[in-house]
Amino acid sequence: MADTATPDLLVRGGTVLTFDPAGRRASALAARDGRITAIGDDRELSALAGPGTRVLELGGRTAIPGFVESHNHPLFFGFALAAPVDAGSPPNDRIADVVERVAAAVRERPDGEWVRGFRYDHTLLADRRHPTRHDLDPASPRNPVVLTHVTGHFCTVNSAALRLLGIGRESPDPPGGRIERDAAGEPTGVLVETAAFLVNAQLPAPDEETVAHALRLADREYLAHGITTVHDTGTGLFGGPGELALYRKLSAAGELGTRVRSYLAHQAFAGEDGRMPTPAQLGDAGDGERFRLAGVKIIADGSIQGGTGCLAEGYHRHPDEHGMMLQSPERLAEMIADVDAAGWQAAVHGNGDAAIEAIVSAYRRVDSAARRHRIEHCQTVREDQLDRMAEQGVLASFFVKHVYYWGDGHRDEWLGPDRARRISPLVSARRRGIVHGLHSDTPVTPVPPLEGVWCAVARRTRDGHTLGPEQAVEVEQALRAYTVDAAHLAGEERESGTLETGKYADLAVLPDDPTAVPTEALREMRVEATVVGGRVAYEAGA
């Protein structure tokens, strides 16, 4: 199976896992003009090489299709990488550690300049609460400070920031959000859901180079972990509508190594009437190989670990609390119908089963199978909801890393043991034929797809417990959910996700065959090279 044209790239000397329908394995691969031209053995394909052929020697290593990250936030990730304050845990154990980092950043800046931090997680801090303005004010009396939660669904600000944002005692809660208040009714600085989103909209807009630098930083990390395509599920959420133009500019200039499939943040691009422009109105032909508009992202509810994911039954420790919808079910259905009518694929964030119920019900009013409408995270989806998703052709991108990073909290605090063991029910979804991807939601959790594969296979929590072993899948099934099935979510299974002639020459090189190593080795395995469009975009140590 070989094209006789001289290849630009020859990969040989190891194992090539094609993940094609027949599950074939080979030892070599050839590519030209960004596409795979041949799959075969070393001797056969080496004969095709010419003076200009780049040869990538596997040396016994394994090449697999490049990972397709089906739910990520590149700009949010890049901002977190470049931020003056790393508020995450690790490295911070207590709120006092975060405050110390804020104080250090303030000392390096003039009065009045904003100080931003990212990744704080109140569930991992010894204090077991969000930082407040009372914590931040002593460290920054004259500089406004905003710390964004690891989920993006909360932020906390100091008093200087509250004044600039015009948030005070009399400020009403925005629809779908909340301003946390103390016993006296004064804002604590903690802003929830749409209240937190409004802060991003009111902060001083970063200049173009700052945004470009953040996207480049994220891109570099994706390539280092074998990701060749990323679904940006929320373009414009952190950079506004101008983010789209910058993406196009960077892509045209060849400054981004990964392919980007953009799902536009509904709140950033909908008109004053709440309706979305069509793809044609945004100038998208739908055929960009490096950057392409794929759909529209809508947020239905919050996060389970933040207590804002919308549950049909109450939270385990607080049974009278059910979380919150950011849109009413009626408004959500209107938004989805409008997105569908405008010609977009919908990707709707739904963590709690009450939110998923509203999404599935709304999708029943449109042709979900034709548009390949999706549910993002789909964390607590019930068996009856999976039945209807299968019937309606609804796809899912599961946030499987929840099992490790917050599984213990789901079991003991938020969901209780029965509901917790069913988060990210991959086996139940596969049994019904629901096509699904897996994702990291970076910067919410670390990037590596192989860690996500391990989560899907081991179902291990931070404390070392197994959570819902009946929902654990085989390694190859998890790898497919990070490759060809994830490509299917954006309608690209004929272009990428497997290594076959005519498809993109997108692949990752691993030190070992991931289908033949102990389960625990999956999490520690590192990507040694990444190829995008037949070009070696990353090599470890290079």
Side-chain angles (χ1 to χ4, degrees), residues 345-358:
Q345 179 190 24
V348 185
H349 164 123
N351 272 313
D353 62 329
I356 293 168
E357 183 68 25

Side-chain angles (χ1 to χ4, degrees), residues 363-438:
Y363 279 160
R364 183 175 289 279
R365 306 182 192 182
V366 297
D367 190 346
S368 296
R371 293 271 188 233
R372 298 193 180 185
H373 293 325
R374 307 166 38 164
I375 300 179
E376 307 303 297
H377 310 321
C378 211
Q379 190 178 164
T380 60
V381 63
R382 303 189 309 258
E383 296 288 313
D384 65 296
Q385 293 170 334
L386 288 169
D387 287 340
R388 281 176 285 148
M389 288 174 63
E391 177 188 332
Q392 296 168 215
V394 178
L395 311 181
S397 180
F398 286 108
F399 191 177
V400 74
K401 292 191 182 187
H402 263 108
V403 173
Y404 174 73
Y405 284 97
W406 293 286
D408 296 300
H410 285 322
R411 181 193 61 236
D412 301 334
E413 296 184 41
W414 306 308
L415 297 175
D418 292 338
R419 284 183 293 177
R421 69 183 299 125
R422 287 200 68 266
I423 62 171
S424 298
L426 305 187
V427 170
S428 293
R430 284 186 59 82
R431 190 181 298 128
R432 291 166 170 81
I434 296 171
V435 180
H436 60 269
L438 301 178

Side-chain angles (χ1 to χ4, degrees), residues 10 29 52 67 97 113 194 240 347 413 477 495-496:
L10 174 64
L29 173 152
F67 293 113
D97 299 331
E113 182 176 316
T194 57
E413 296 184 41
Q477 293 170 349
E495 299 287 342
S496 67

Side-chain angles (χ1 to χ4, degrees), residues 425-488:
L426 305 187
V427 170
S428 293
R430 284 186 59 82
R431 190 181 298 128
R432 291 166 170 81
I434 296 171
V435 180
H436 60 269
L438 301 178
H439 67 259
S440 66
D441 202 16
T442 304
V444 179
T445 65
V447 172
L450 286 166
E451 180 183 61
V453 170
W454 171 78
C455 287
V457 174
R459 299 281 298 193
R460 199 97 72 243
T461 70
R462 280 182 190 265
D463 289 351
H465 297 98
T466 301
L467 188 68
E470 66 277 4
Q471 294 295 341
V473 298
E474 298 297 323
V475 174
E476 186 166 338
Q477 293 170 349
L479 287 167
R480 286 182 174 276
Y482 255 117
T483 53
V484 65
D485 292 341
H488 182 99

Side-chain angles (χ1 to χ4, degrees), residues 174-177 193-194 299-302 308-311 322-333 348-359:
E193 299 298 346
T194 57
I299 303 175
D301 71 341
T308 56
C310 194
L311 298 172
H322 292 259
M324 61 195 303
M325 291 288 291
L326 274 62
Q327 328 287 340
S328 70
E330 295 75 19
R331 175 58 186 148
L332 179 65
V348 185
H349 164 123
N351 272 313
D353 62 329
I356 293 168
E357 183 68 25
I359 299 167

